[in-house]
């Protein structure tokens, strides 16, 4: 059988902010059903890279193909791309004036054009999946940070996307709330969802990743399966990063 096309293919991607080069000759592929964790020090380009994956940032050079769509600044298909590539941010970005249920149904109704009844049924299914079905009628301000982030994950799930991007989804949470979000993400990973996650949570990464990616100064320095990445990384820069982060 021929090999399936990767769902994300980044080839020689460069990205500038003014004169600052945020991404330098980045090459990365993500296969259908693969769980990829990107780590590295602050400012290494991790968030910029995954924001390019759904067109929130435009790359300046190279080729990026996501779910069969050639992603570039003039692409007419960015809107279609974002319907199939969900993203969970550091901040929860929930609409404060809408209930949890309304936050979850607005996208499927307006974008997917499904009925309110079907959207609500889908929303309740995914609230159940992230273990907060009882919060459907509350407003975001009535929830803890961990609950709000689980609502944000459920909101992306309601769009029934083919890929989920997570941009440091626990970095804005109090320590005691981090595990409740990570537990949900582990369940999603185990269900076979294609995931690309930027995180410093190395215990979580070791548990779910098929592939670890280490970035520094806008470059991908190392790509390896987790057992090799955590025990025998090739690069001194990666070893130094792991020594530092695993001490804490």
């Amino acid at each position: 059988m021929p090999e399936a096309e990767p769902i994300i293919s980044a080839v020689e991607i460069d990205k500038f902010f003014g004169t600052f080069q945020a991404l330098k000759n980045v090459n990365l592929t993500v296969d259908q059903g693969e769980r990829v964790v990107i780590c590295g020090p602050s400012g290494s380009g991790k968030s910029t890279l995954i924001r390019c994956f759904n067109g929130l940032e435009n790359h300046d050079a190279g080729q990026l193909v996501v779910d069969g769509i050639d992603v570039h600044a003039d692409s007419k298909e960015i809107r279609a791309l974002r319907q199939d590539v969900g993203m969970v941010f550091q901040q929860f970005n929930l609409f404060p004036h809408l209930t949890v249920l309304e936050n979850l149904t607005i996208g499927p109704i307006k974008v997917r054009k499904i009925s309110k009844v079907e959207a609500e049924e889908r929303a309740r299914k995914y609230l159940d999946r992230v273990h907060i079905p009882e919060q459907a009628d509350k407003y975001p301000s009535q929830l803890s940070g961990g609950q709000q982030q689980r609502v944000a994950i459920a909101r992306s799930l309601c769009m029934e996307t083919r890929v989920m991007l997570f941009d440091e989804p626990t970095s804005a949470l109090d320590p005691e709330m981090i595990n409740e979000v990570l537990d949900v993400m582990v369940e999603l990973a185990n269900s076979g969802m294609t995931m690309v996650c930027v995180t410093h949570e190395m215990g979580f990464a070791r548990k779910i990743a098929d592939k670890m990616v280490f970035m520094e100064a806008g470059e991908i320095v190392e790509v390896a399966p987790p057992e090799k990445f955590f025990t025998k990384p090739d690069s001194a820069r990666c070893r130094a990063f792991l020594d530092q982060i695993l001490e804490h």
Side-chain angles (χ1 to χ4, degrees), residues 116-127:
K116 185 179 178 186
V117 170
E118 187 182 346
E120 288 190 356
E121 193 176 293
R122 186 184 290 185
R124 291 186 189 281
K125 177 178 81 171
Y126 287 119
L127 282 175

Side-chain angles (χ1 to χ4, degrees), residues 15-235:
K15 168 69 182 173
F16 289 86
F17 292 106
T19 57
F20 173 71
Q21 188 167 3
L23 297 175
K24 303 172 186 173
N25 196 40
V26 168
N27 294 279
L28 183 66
T29 60
V30 178
D31 293 328
Q32 178 73 44
E34 193 170 33
R35 291 86 54 99
V36 176
V37 171
I38 304 175
C39 64
S42 295
S44 58
K46 310 179 299 292
S47 294
T48 299
L49 178 60
I50 68 165
R51 287 170 69 87
C52 287
F53 289 168
N54 70 346
L56 286 172
E57 296 287 357
N58 295 317
H59 57 286
D60 297 303
Q63 185 181 45
L64 177 60
V65 178
V66 179
D67 198 17
I69 294 173
D70 192 348
V71 184
H72 53 86
D74 301 321
S75 176
K76 304 285 191 290
E77 298 177 282
I78 292 295
R79 192 167 176 183
L81 173 73
R82 288 188 190 143
Q83 292 180 27
D84 281 327
V85 181
M87 188 154 186
V88 177
F89 300 88
Q90 297 175 34
Q91 303 300 332
F92 322 123
N93 296 340
L94 301 174
F95 294 115
H97 62 291
L98 300 180
T99 65
V100 166
L101 194 65
E102 289 167 339
N103 266 283
L104 267 58
T105 57
I106 190 170
I109 290 170
K110 288 185 176 294
V111 178
R112 296 287 196 202
K113 307 298 184 191
I114 69 174
S115 71
K116 185 179 178 186
V117 170
E118 187 182 346
E120 288 190 356
E121 193 176 293
R122 186 184 290 185
R124 291 186 189 281
K125 177 178 81 171
Y126 287 119
L127 282 175
D128 198 49
R129 189 163 177 187
V130 300
H131 309 300
I132 46 171
E134 72 287 353
Q135 309 295 349
D137 298 319
K138 290 187 179 177
Y139 288 89
S141 62
Q142 297 174 290
L143 305 181
S144 71
Q147 289 170 329
Q148 289 187 61
Q149 191 61 295
R150 284 190 278 166
V151 172
I153 291 170
R155 180 179 55 186
S156 276
L157 291 172
C158 281
M159 293 296 287
E160 301 202 327
T161 56
R162 283 167 48 76
V163 184
M164 285 275 275
L165 308 175
F166 294 87
D167 186 8
E168 301 201 27
T170 59
S171 65
L173 298 177
D174 294 331
E176 65 271 18
M177 295 176 185
I178 289 173
N179 281 342
E180 67 182 61
V181 172
L182 292 179
D183 287 347
V184 166
M185 292 173 64
V186 168
E187 287 181 29
L188 294 179
N190 290 338
S191 75
M193 175 174 285
T194 306
M195 295 170 63
V196 183
C197 185
V198 171
T199 186
H200 288 295
E201 301 290 341
M202 292 296 102
F204 162 77
R206 206 165 192 161
K207 193 179 291 184
I208 71 107
D210 297 309
K211 183 158 70 186
M212 293 294 302
V213 178
F214 174 67
M215 292 186 71
E216 189 178 68
E219 298 177 293
I220 290 181
V221 177
E222 184 137 359
V223 178
E227 59 273 16
K228 180 177 189 304
F229 184 87
F230 286 106
T231 57
K232 291 183 179 174
D234 290 331
S235 78

